[in-house]
Every structure is written in C-alpha cells, then in structure tokens.
Amino acid sequence: MAANEKRSREAWQELDKDHHLHPFTDHKSLHKKRSRIITRAEGVYIYDADGSKILDGMSGLWCVNAGYGRQELVDAATEQLKELPYYNNFFQCAHPPSIELASLLQEISPPQFKRVFFAGSGSESNDTIVRMVRTYWDLMGQPERHTIISRHNAYHGSTVAAASLGGMKPMHRQSGLPIPGIVHVDQPYWFGSDRSLSPEEFGLAAARAIEDKINEVGAGKVAAFIGEPIQGAGGVIVPPDSYWPEVQRICDKYGILLISDEVITGFGRLGEWFGADYFGTRPDFMTFAKGVTSGYLPLGGVFVSDRVADVLIEKGGEFFHGYTYSGHPVACAVAIANIRLIQRENLVERIKIDIGPYLQEKWRALGEHALVGDTRMVGLMGAFEIVRSKDPIERFDEKQGAGVAFRDLLIEDGVCMRAVGDTIICAPPFILSHSEADELIDKTIVTLDRLQKTLTA
Ligand code: PXG
C-alpha cells in the first residue's frame, strides 16, 4: 500500500493498534481510545481523518516553524532527490548541500562558531557532544575531566547518552540511567519553588547550585555544563534574568565548557536566532535539530566553537564518530531553503517586534482566569499553569489530571497544545497571524471555562 492510501479513520486506527508502537506512549490506554489520525496540514492548521481543522499550537513537536505547505521546501527536497538523493560525508567526501549548509549556519550563528558536525536528530547531536567534550579534555591532557553537569527535568533526547543528560526521572528509572559521569542540579523554576526568594535571588541561587556541584565533584573533574536556554519539554521553564549570566560566570571561572541545547530555541523561536543570543551567553557548543528544516525532514547537528574545533583538528587525529545520515543531502537542501525563507520573510524579527509581543500580551491576560496561576512566554514559546486556587497557590491533585483534561477539551475546541502535568505549553508556528493568535487565545478561554465546569461539577 502507498503511504497516502485512502482508508477510513477506523481502518487506520485498527492497523495502527495492531502494528505500530508509538514513542512516549502507554499503549494499553491508547488502545482503549485509539489514535487521532492526522492526514494533512496547511499554514498553521492540521486536519484529522474526520476533517476536523485544528490550530497547531505546538508547531508539530516544536519544529514546523515556517508553517505547513511551504512549496519552496518541497521544491528544494524534490530537486535534491533528483540530483543526488544520498551520499555520505565519510572517507574524505562531501557534497554541495552539506558544505553550503555548514557555511550558511556559520553566517547566522554567534561569532565563536565556524564549524558544524551534522547528525540526524537532537538526540544524536547530544550524543555527539558527550563524545566530543570528553575527547576534547583527553586531548587537552585532562582525561579526568569527564563529568557533565545537567539539570533535573531537562530534556536532551532519548538515546542512552541524551536521556542521561536529560533529567527526566521516569526515563532514568526505566533503563538504568544515567550513564556514569553525568550529574544533575535543580532547574531554575521559580514558580515551582516556595517563592520565598525574589525571582532574581532565586535565579542566582539556582546558578550557584552548579558551583556547589562543581566543588562536590571536584573542579578538575568537570568537563561541561549543558542546559536548554528555556527548558521546553520540562514545561517551558523561563529562568529569572539573573540565571544565565551567573551560569556563564561560573563556567568561565572553572574553565568548564558551556553547552546550549538549542533544539527548540534555535532558528528564531525566542525572537533571536539562538537562545544564546537572547540570554547573552557564549556557549562552546550549541545543539540544533527540529527548526533547522522546520521539521520537513530530520536533521540535527552541533555547532562547535573554535576553542574546541581547533583542538580536535590540530591534536585529534581521527574522531571515531558519525552517522550514515550525518549531513544527508536532501535534509541539508531543505535546511538551506528553510533558513533562506526565514531570512526573506524576516520571521525572527517578526517574533521580536510583532507577533511575539502581540501573543504575549494576550497570553499574560489568561492569568486573569480563575484557573490560571502563572503565565510565561518568550518569543513564541509559552506556558501557563492550571491551579486550584491562586491565593495561596494550590495545585490540583495529580490524579485529577487537570492538564490532560484541558488538553483533550482544547483539541475538541480546535486548538492543539501540550500538557506537562498541569502546565500547558504552547509554541505556534512563526507565521501565526494576528487573527490566528486571537483564535488561539479565544478558544483557550472557552476551554478553560469548560474545564472549570467539569472540575467543579
Ligand atoms: N534537546 C531538546 C532541548 C529537545 O527538546 C531533543 C534534544 C532531542 O531531539 P530529537 O530530535 O532526538 O527528538 C529535544 C526534543 C515534548 C517533546 O513532548 C520534546 C522533544 C521531543 C519529543 C517530545 O515536548 N524535544
């Protein structure tokens, strides 16, 4: 059967249940209610097999930044498929799309980056970083410097090394992670704290937990610190302004490499090309994936600073690492077309001065709803938290599943967002118009009212 074979929704659901294991899914509960089958998409809307039109408030999975149905991305892929559908970058070969993309990435990235290493996903890219960081310190004659510090509730991917870097306890529990040499400190989550400190004081304290960890492990043993500029899958945790400058100061003080995982924040989501630009950090590595191709094809990679790349090149010999699809030509061709599109349509600037502030103001106003305890949004990356009472703040019992209930009602009302516990997260495509932003907010309010009725019924 062809991939786009037309069947009934029920037939697809049946085949899906019988043959398909899904990512991050409790299959027993899925099989009771069956999957939602998404069949097509256009602009900021996805359509399911019943023909329902749903505003995609998550850009797929934080990636379809340029929106759906962009013909030039389709054309770039088609032309490259005809010209050279595959070749590798191993064994002293390269091809124009990987070379052109590497040099284009240098133009839009901070000045310390001249070089990239390609992978197929964000997870693979973070695995690459673990290996590169440790190789760097070996080459620097400090092989004892192998420990990487990360944060609880971080998400850095799902492979063994990337999930170890992540701080998701259920993932660790399921497979004996983390691997040795990866340790975690608390995330800078002010709203989730007892709020006895001001956000600024809290941000400093959260950063200094890294310094405490460095001293606990031993400064000479710490290789790197990794963080998402704003934690995404963990619930859009926007750190207080004091946090990142202090993290940078600590990394500088101990000579520790700073890794900015830009898989979500890269390519404009915060109204700057990268989260490091937004927060003013000077990372030694940046991880990218998702938005580099607006999700049209899988591609990931690592920006490697001159500090590291020069050592790898000058002293390293062969770096025994790479993937069949490192720099896949079709994915690279789409990435080039996607970056050009973002540049030509000024989408990053648009987030900074137009649609970002427009949506942020309305998002903040959601805080007036009786169920909304906190709202936060930077660029087009936001969250609000559903609470039982606001003064004092009391949360719903976890078992009540208020967040998931909201998500399910919202999709009935025609908008897709994600629930992380009772935190609702939103990251719409960059092309969101003002009227689509109004629709997103209006439907959110309707759904909050519906949720309130069900919770108090
Ligand atoms: N780093 C970050 C910051 C991510 O958000 C990855 C790495 C891994 O990328 P790949 O391409 O290997 O998936 C991610 C991925 C969610 C969700 O539910 C988020 C991601 C992936 C799957 C689900 O929010 N982010």
Side-chain angles (χ1 to χ4, degrees), residues 24 58 61-62 120-124 126 155-159 162 228 230 232-234 261-265 287 289-290 299 418 420 425:
F24 282 92
M58 277 308 295
L61 204 47
W62 317 88
S121 67
S123 302
E124 286 179 8
N126 280 325
Y155 190 79
H156 296 295
S158 199
T159 52
E228 304 150 79
I230 294 176
D261 184 337
E262 303 268 358
V263 167
I264 288 175
T265 50
T287 322
K290 296 189 187 276
L299 180 70
R418 224 168 80 51
V420 178
I425 56 187

Side-chain angles (χ1 to χ4, degrees), residues 55-170:
L55 199 164
D56 184 2
M58 277 308 295
S59 306
L61 204 47
W62 317 88
C63 52
V64 188
N65 296 348
Y68 297 94
R70 304 307 302 251
Q71 189 58 41
E72 60 198 275
L73 304 193
V74 178
D75 292 343
T78 309
E79 278 160 35
Q80 189 57 46
L81 278 165
K82 287 189 207 153
E83 186 77 18
L84 180 72
Y86 177 75
Y87 204 71
N88 64 64
N89 291 287
F90 288 54
F91 316 131
Q92 310 192 350
C93 291
H95 44 66
S98 60
I99 301 167
E100 294 292 344
L101 178 60
S103 92
L104 178 58
L105 288 171
Q106 188 248 318
E107 279 173 39
I108 60 170
S109 61
Q112 67 272 31
F113 297 110
K114 255 203 318 276
R115 301 179 180 92
V116 293
F117 187 99
F118 289 117
S121 67
S123 302
E124 286 179 8
S125 305
N126 280 325
D127 278 47
T128 298
I129 290 180
V130 170
R131 303 210 42 217
M132 230 183 234
V133 157
R134 291 178 172 172
T135 303
Y136 167 81
W137 285 116
D138 290 348
L139 293 170
M140 294 294 288
Q142 298 182 55
E144 63 290 352
R145 263 209 201 237
H146 270 201
T147 299
I148 302 175
I149 301 177
S150 179
R151 301 177 296 182
H152 298 303
N153 202 35
Y155 190 79
H156 296 295
S158 199
T159 52
V160 168
S164 297
L165 290 174
M168 301 289 180
K169 293 218 165 70

Side-chain angles (χ1 to χ4, degrees), residues 401-414:
V404 170
F406 174 85
R407 180 199 67 193
D408 291 349
L409 290 173
L410 184 69
I411 208 158
E412 282 176 18
D413 289 332

